[in-house]
Amino acid sequence: MNMTDIFSLKGKIAWITGGSYGIGFAISQAYHEAGATVVYNCRSALDASQKAYKAAGIPAHGYVCDVTDENAVNETLANIEKEVGAVDILVNNAGIIKRIPMVEMSAADFRQVIDIDLTGAFIVSKAVIPGMLKKGAGKIINICSMMSELGRETISAYTAAKGGLKMLTKNIASEYGEFNIQCNGIGPGYIETPQNAVLRERQADGSRHPFDNFIVAKTPAARWGITDDLKGPAVFLASRASDFVNGHILYVDGGILAYIGKQPK
């Protein structure tokens, strides 16, 4: 088997949750280019996302589905299996972040982040695993974030959820590895997306935003990541190239987790 075949996703059906934009959309592009049939879901605005996929030349199958609603997930999976086929690859990408100091954060806000970022991944994984068991193979990729390893002010719920998702990844690998199901995670660092564009805007005097300066200084690569940086890792973890990789979190962070930072002058 040559390298092209090992990394090919031809004939595979990949479901990307939260795939309407940003990281999810980039992974969908990569999977399409690698030969997979792309399925994605979003909570709303399906027509707009379908237009974006069409403009990118990706014949994706889109569904409206709330990953925190187990009945809705099961119904969506049944429709996918009926209209497209059994899922070979699942990417649990759906997630939110709320930047609120912990003592000011309501329990309801905390639970919402946990519900979408962690419980949603559990629900969707639980739904697809039986089909993977029947096939005797499957790939589950959880978008964990490097904040599953680090803490920072105002994101207590997000770090708790992503830390939990890291351990869910390891447990799925432990529980279903013997059935040729690999569950791994991708831990993105700071990736340029529309959601954080305001943090990268030049100030009135032409200087960088303080947070932009902070991230660039903390990153050995001296830049923010872009969504294209995640495409290769996502294809690797979905392909036969990673058949003996299980329970691993692949951090795509430009080196932040390896770096203590520059000494103050």
Side-chain angles (χ1 to χ4, degrees):
M1 186 182 300
N2 63 42
M3 285 296 102
T4 301
D5 291 335
I6 287 175
F7 286 93
S8 173
L9 301 182
K10 187 175 181 180
K12 302 297 184 182
I13 295 171
W15 179 6
I16 297 91
T17 71
S20 57
Y21 59 86
I23 290 173
F25 187 84
I27 291 174
S28 292
Q29 284 182 306
Y31 286 175
H32 168 67
E33 292 165 8
T37 298
V38 173
V39 174
Y40 74 95
N41 73 281
C42 53
R43 295 186 71 179
S44 60
L46 182 62
D47 289 344
S49 63
Q50 283 281 272
K51 289 179 182 177
Y53 272 93
K54 186 175 181 180
I58 305 171
H61 303 263
Y63 297 85
V64 173
C65 177
D66 178 353
V67 296
T68 69
D69 184 334
E70 190 166 11
N71 290 332
V73 168
N74 290 334
E75 182 179 345
T76 299
L77 178 60
N79 289 332
I80 292 170
E81 291 176 339
K82 179 181 178 182
E83 298 165 9
V84 187
V87 173
D88 299 288
I89 302 158
L90 169 66
V91 179
N92 284 309
N93 170 70
I96 63 169
I97 186 170
K98 288 179 178 282
R99 296 180 176 88
I100 305 170
M102 184 173 171
V103 296
E104 298 173 15
M105 189 175 215
S106 69
D109 280 334
F110 186 89
R111 290 189 185 105
Q112 184 184 23
V113 176
I114 298 293
D115 210 22
I116 294 173
D117 294 19
L118 176 57
T119 308
F122 164 79
I123 290 171
V124 185
S125 298
K126 177 187 172 185
V128 303
I129 286 172
M132 292 178 174
L133 290 171
K134 287 180 182 178
K135 281 194 166 192
K139 301 280 188 177
I140 298 174
I141 300 160
N142 295 324
I143 305 303
C144 293
S145 170
M146 68 176 186
M147 304 314 292
S148 61
E149 295 286 346
L150 298 172
R152 189 169 61 77
E153 62 277 6
T154 77
I155 57 170
S156 58
Y158 185 77
T159 57
K162 293 302 185 178
L165 185 57
K166 175 182 70 176
M167 293 312 300
L168 178 64
T169 301
K170 293 177 180 292
N171 205 80
I172 292 172
S174 301
E175 197 163 348
Y176 296 102
E178 67 178 294
F179 303 104
N180 195 30
I181 295 172
Q182 292 85 48
C183 181
N184 294 289
I186 294 176
Y190 285 92
I191 305 295
E192 292 183 3
T193 66
Q195 288 67 41
N196 57 43
V198 66
L199 299 176
R200 291 177 282 106
E201 289 179 349
R202 290 283 175 172
Q203 304 301 285
D205 63 0
S207 64
R208 277 181 149 151
H209 188 287
F211 190 78
D212 186 16
N213 267 330
F214 167 68
I215 294 306
V216 171
K218 288 290 291 181
T219 307
R223 67 174 177 87
W224 288 62
I226 57 175
T227 54
D228 278 359
D229 290 322
L230 299 169
K231 289 182 175 180
V235 170
F236 166 65
L237 292 177
S239 71
R240 281 174 287 180
S242 62
D243 279 355
F244 203 56
V245 179
N246 213 357
H248 176 74
I249 312 301
L250 176 52
Y251 291 102
V252 186
D253 65 355
I256 289 180
L257 290 176
Y259 188 42
I260 196 172
K262 293 180 181 178
Q263 181 177 337
K265 294 180 180 180

